[in-house]
Structures are given as structure tokens and as C-alpha cells.
Amino acid sequence: MLDTLINYLVNYPFVRYALIVGLLVSLCSSLLGVTLVLKRFSFIGDGLSHVAFGAMTISTVLPVIVKDILISFSQEGKLSASGDALVKHLTEMNDMVIVLPITLLSAILLLRTGQNTKIKGDAAVAMISVSALAVGYMLINVFSMSANVSGDVCSTLFGSLSILTLKKSDVWICLALSVVVITLFLLLYHKIFAVTFDENFSSATGINANAYNLIIAVITALIIVIAMNLVGSLLISALIIFPALSAMRVFQSFKGVIICSAVISVICAGTGIILSILFSTPVGATIVTADIVVFMIFCIISRFTRRQKA
Amino acid sequence: MVIDGETIVPKVPDTQVVCRNAVLGYEDGIVTRDLNFAVNSGDYLCILGENGSGKSTLVKTLLGLQKQLDGEIEWFKGMSSKDIGYLPQQTVVQRDFPASVREIVRSGCLGKMGLRPFYNAQEKQLAEDTMKQLGIDHLAKHCYRDLSGGQQQRVLLARALCATRKMLLLDEPVTGLDPKAQTDLYELIASLNKEGITIIMVSHDMAVVRYATHILHIGSQRQLFFGTKDDYLNSSIGKNFIASERGEFNA
Ligand SMILES: Nc1ncnc2c1ncn2[C@@H]1O[C@H](COP(=O)(O)OP(=O)(O)OP(=O)(O)O)[C@@H](O)[C@H]1O
Ligand SMILES: [Mg+2]
């Protein structure tokens, strides 16, 4: 078994890349977990992941729709050469090109509705996320050319069956976005802390809390897009929230919690990816299961440390 | 200097802020109108009023978190609403927020940092000195959520002092503290006032009146009194208020 793993790692450079990307993704997703949990923004994360699912289906069926439209408008009833090229281009285009902007836009919209209107923020999110799910599922059923629709849906919802099926362009996009997320987070760390801890005080001392809320929403959207390939849209919330919740059980300072949740997340992702390769289990579900196990362990630890203190 | 609607508040050389005919409220209605008062540096202004009279609304307006509906609030001597150290009425910090005392106190410096991402040595030192001054330096590594109410308020006070040393604005800071802790906090704030920090204290507790130099009393929908403490204690409004507080106290 170990041989299989070493064989993969040594002989297939792509496995190595996939592993690195998995670790980076998990690192990113853990950074904002604390903020999202404490600001009660975790529902936005959840809503966004469904929007990302809808966007993904749009990107999947777009070439089919474009083809249908072009055919119905042409006289001969078949595609011209340029139309054919366009459809081909759309098919080969990376899904991110469509998913990223849609998710970013929704993040901004969700934050706005949560703050300004009289509709309760979480009701708005619930509305948007179920709409995205329903429309997405319908689109992919009506238009998909694929023979295996339920397989497609399943992998969008729960992540690729195996990390080895990641496309090379996915790897590079993940890498670039991860760097953006980590840099932004490090630069804005103290301000994110202040805005999370006490928004009124921050605004009173001249920090533009709304701007930082927006940045937090944008980073969340980026993280969701990055993590989507790894664990699928339904499981992203788990990747974001579990490490933070575990760390908050044991650590007493913001910095301690952030560092601990980053470590937990990376270890769980590494373990999950390796186990999923060895036992050919679905990679996203394996990682999340590892996160759950760690959460339970930290719950038990916190029982003991709290008791000692009392 | 007593104000009634049209009277203009006099401005003396070290005036920090003047509020003229201000009307406060929210989109859905006016909370209070015709506010006229001035705060000079070194003053201890106590804002009194019933629940819902608009004290916190006035605080938010002074802080620039919302705009007055009418009238004006003018700042002097390079002051602005950003030079106020603020202690909120009720900090809506979630119960289980993991943050150490040091992290919170330091965050008071953030407003002055602009886009610089990290604290410099000077700001870190300021935080340490302030914690020492308020007697919470031994708690620096403790988690905020595990502190007593009085200790928590000291931490937030230290954070406010890191933000500025010109003016402190405190919105009922003793709510929920036991009597001993209340007195301690009041004494601490009075000692900061002696150092020259202007204090604006919101309260509906007459215990504060004895520390104050000026009183602003807001009634339903309008200002009832603004002036020095001695004038207030001699006015009918002041006498009534004190009598009613005593009555409540005895009952
Ligand atoms: N965000 C808001 N939007 C609309 N109305 C508000 C808002 N906040 C407060 N009010 C209203 O403004 C009025 C004054 O509220 P405010 O909080 O200023 O009173 P207060 O004097 O601070 O009372 P307390 O002693 O209870 O703290 C109340 O009638 C309240 O309903
Ligand atoms: Mg109030």
C-alpha cells in the first residue's frame, strides 16, 4: 500500500502538484474560518458555495446552448466554421473563467442584502442558494451532452472522485488564487481582527469597516472557488469552518486560533488526500471526515483543560 | 450659558466640540431635537437621560457613525470624530471570541496606522504602558472572554486610550458591574480626567454627577438642561432628577 503511494509520488509528478495544491487550498480555507464563524458570516460561505455550483453548471452547458442558438439562427441548419470554433473554445475554456466572476459578484450582493435591506440576511442567502441549486440542476439536465449527468452533478457537489483527475489549468489557477488570498490575509490581518472583534469601535476610530467586510466577502468567494475542485461545493463550508471551530475550543488568542486552525486544516487535507489515493475514496469526503475526527478530539481535549482550570 | 432653542453656545479658546441645534434620529423618525452644548478640553461632561431618550444616538452621531438630521456639530483644534476614544454601551462581542487582552488593547492603535499592515515598536510600547496604567498588565496573555466584567471594561478602556488621549466617550460603562467595580471604574475615569483627558460620560446613574464638571440632560424629544454641575444641582430639573433617583434608590 505504501508502495503504491511512493510509486505515485515518485513516478507521477502530477500527483505531487495535486498534493501541493490540496495543502494550499486547505491553508487558505482555514484562514478566514474564525472570522466567518464569529461574524456570523458562515451562512454567506454556505450560500456562495451553492452559487458556485450554479455557475459551474452554467459553464458546463454554455457551449451546448450557444451551439443550439447558432444553429437555429443559421440558414443551413448547421454550424459555420467560426461558430464551430467558438463552441470548441467555450468547451475547452476553464470553468473558473465563468465561476469566479459570478461567485465574486454574488459575494458582494449577499453582503449588501445582509446589511441594508429589511429582508433578513440569512433569508436572502437561503433564497439565493436554493435558487442556484435548482436552476443549476435543471440546466445541466436539460442541456448536458454528457451521458453521465448524475455523475457530473455528483462531482460538482462533492468534489472530484480523485484529486488525480484535476486539470493542469486548475492547478495553476488554484496556485495563483491561493497566493492572492494568503497575501491579502497577512497584510490585513490586524484590521480583520479589529473589524471582527468590534465593528463599531473600528468604524469610530476611522477604519472603514464596510470596506473590510467587502474584502472579507471577496476573499471568501475566492476561497470557495479555489476549494470547489478539491471538495466540491457542498463540502466547502466544512473545510472553512471545522478547523476554526476545533482551534477555538483550545486556544485563547486570535493568533493562536488562526495558526492552530491552519495547521489542523493542512494536516487533515494531507492525510485525507493520501488516504483517498490509497483506498480510492472520494477525496473531499475523506478530508472532511478527517476534520470531523480532529474536531471531536479537540472537544475532548477542551473538556480536560477546562476542568483543570476550574 | 443655559440653552433654550435659539441661544448660541459660546466658544472659548480651548473648545473641542460645539453642537448647535442638532436634530438626531434615524430614517424612521426624530429621536431628539434642539441639542446645544459645548465641550472644552479637560471637561467632564455627563449626559443624563431616561432609557430611549437618545443618549446612545448622540454618542453615535458624535463618533460620526451616523449623521445628524439637522443642525451642526463642529470640531476645533484639529479634533475630529476620529480623535475620540470610545467605550461602547454594550460590546456585542460574541461570548466565545478568542482574543487575548494584549491583542485587543493593541487594536486601539489601528485607526492611526492607515494602510501600514503591522504595529511598530512605538505602538506596541503604548499598549504595554496603557495596560500597566490601568492595572491589567498581568492579564495581557489572558483570554478576554474569561475576564470579569470589570476587567473587561478596563481592557476596552485601555484600547480606547491607545486610540487617543484627547477625549474619551463612554456609554454607560458600568452597566452590569457590581457596586465595588462600578466605583473603581468611576475613580479610574476621574483620575484620567485629572490628567487632562476630556471625558464625555453617558449615564442614568446619579453617582456620576459628583465627578462631572458639566451636565447635559436630555428629556423626551428635547434637551432639558446644559450647564455646569453646580447650576444643574440648583435647577428644578436637577433637583427633580436627584429626588426621583433617590426615591428609586430607596424603594
Ligand atoms: N438603529 C436604530 N434605528 C432606528 N431607531 C433606533 C435605532 N437605535 C435606536 N433607535 C431608537 O432611538 C431611540 C433612542 O435610542 P437610544 O439608544 O439613543 O437611547 P438611550 O438614551 O441610549 O437609551 P438607554 O438608556 O436604554 O441606553 C429609541 O426610541 C430607539 O428605539
Ligand atoms: Mg444607550
Side-chain angles (χ1 to χ4, degrees), chain B residues 206 209 232-233 236-248:
Chain B
M206 57 176 275
V209 174
Y232 182 70
L233 292 177
S236 58
I237 296 164
K239 283 182 178 143
N240 278 339
F241 178 70
I242 297 218
S244 71
E245 285 281 310
R246 286 245 166 80
E248 232 169 67

Side-chain angles (χ1 to χ4, degrees), chain B residues 25-32 49-60 66 89 171-172 202-204 218:
Chain B
Y26 301 89
E27 291 160 7
D28 41 354
I30 290 172
V31 172
T32 185
E50 309 283 306
N51 292 119
S53 56
K55 303 183 299 295
S56 299
T57 309
L58 174 58
V59 166
K60 281 183 241 164
Q66 65 181 68
Q89 173 167 22
D171 194 352
E172 310 205 35
V202 172
S203 178
H204 51 226
I218 309 177

Side-chain angles (χ1 to χ4, degrees), chain A residues 76-151:
Chain A
E76 302 101 81
K78 65 180 176 65
L79 275 183
S80 63
S82 61
D84 194 44
L86 175 67
V87 170
K88 197 154 177 244
H89 179 73
L90 284 176
T91 317
E92 281 166 2
M93 184 178 70
N94 195 289
D95 294 327
M96 295 296 155
V97 180
I98 288 173
V99 177
L100 188 59
I102 292 185
T103 315
L104 278 179
L105 208 67
S106 315
I108 296 166
L109 282 179
L110 281 180
L111 198 75
R112 280 280 149 78
T113 47
Q115 280 172 344
N116 292 348
T117 61
K118 297 246 155 89
I119 310 178
K120 269 271 185 235
D122 41 359
V125 174
M127 253 162 49
I128 294 179
S129 68
V130 289
S131 313
L133 270 183
V135 173
Y137 187 55
M138 198 183 69
L139 280 180
I140 208 166
N141 266 291
V142 174
F143 290 107
S144 182
M145 316 172 266
S146 154
N148 184 10
V149 170
S150 56

Side-chain angles (χ1 to χ4, degrees), chain A residues 3-235:
Chain A
D3 300 340
T4 336
L5 181 68
I6 292 172
N7 179 30
Y8 272 130
L9 284 178
V10 174
N11 294 331
Y12 300 87
F14 200 68
V15 178
R16 293 202 293 267
Y17 298 147
L19 193 61
I20 291 170
V21 166
L23 298 184
L24 269 177
V25 166
S26 60
L27 178 61
C28 289
S29 62
S30 67
L31 291 180
L32 268 191
V34 182
T35 303
L36 294 183
V37 170
L38 290 171
K39 266 183 136 345
R40 309 261 183 268
F41 272 5
S42 34
F43 65 90
I44 290 189
D46 210 43
L48 281 184
S49 57
H50 295 136
V51 170
F53 168 79
M56 194 74 149
T57 58
I58 290 181
S59 141
T60 312
V61 302
L62 193 65
V64 186
I65 296 179
V66 169
K67 192 171 162 192
D68 288 352
I69 292 175
L70 286 180
I71 288 178
S72 64
F73 273 103
S74 66
Q75 271 98 29
E76 302 101 81
K78 65 180 176 65
L79 275 183
S80 63
S82 61
D84 194 44
L86 175 67
V87 170
K88 197 154 177 244
H89 179 73
L90 284 176
T91 317
E92 281 166 2
M93 184 178 70
N94 195 289
D95 294 327
M96 295 296 155
V97 180
I98 288 173
V99 177
L100 188 59
I102 292 185
T103 315
L104 278 179
L105 208 67
S106 315
I108 296 166
L109 282 179
L110 281 180
L111 198 75
R112 280 280 149 78
T113 47
Q115 280 172 344
N116 292 348
T117 61
K118 297 246 155 89
I119 310 178
K120 269 271 185 235
D122 41 359
V125 174
M127 253 162 49
I128 294 179
S129 68
V130 289
S131 313
L133 270 183
V135 173
Y137 187 55
M138 198 183 69
L139 280 180
I140 208 166
N141 266 291
V142 174
F143 290 107
S144 182
M145 316 172 266
S146 154
N148 184 10
V149 170
S150 56
D152 285 351
V153 172
C154 206
S155 73
T156 321
L157 287 177
F158 294 103
S160 320
L161 259 187
S162 153
I163 195 157
L164 306 177
T165 61
L166 280 178
K167 279 184 270 174
K168 187 147 196 163
S169 59
D170 288 336
V171 173
W172 285 113
I173 290 177
C174 274
L175 213 60
L177 290 181
S178 305
V179 172
V180 171
V181 166
I182 293 171
T183 319
L184 269 180
F185 183 81
L186 288 180
L187 288 181
L188 301 178
Y189 167 80
H190 289 296
K191 305 226 162 76
I192 290 179
F193 166 76
V195 172
T196 313
F197 181 70
D198 189 343
E199 199 172 307
N200 270 335
F201 179 85
S202 308
S203 330
T205 52
I207 296 175
N208 188 344
N210 286 337
Y212 285 97
N213 280 334
L214 193 65
I215 294 175
I216 291 172
V218 166
I219 300 182
T220 311
L222 286 181
I223 289 172
I224 284 168
V225 172
I226 303 172
M228 191 148 162
N229 281 312
L230 187 63
V231 295
S233 57
L234 277 189
L235 297 178

Side-chain angles (χ1 to χ4, degrees), chain A residues 38 187 191 194 198 252 254-255, chain B residues 94 98 103 114 117 143 159:
Chain A
L38 290 171
L187 288 181
K191 305 226 162 76
D198 189 343
Q252 307 285 316
F254 195 69
K255 197 173 173 184
Chain B
Q94 284 85 358
E103 286 176 320
C143 186
R159 176 182 68 170

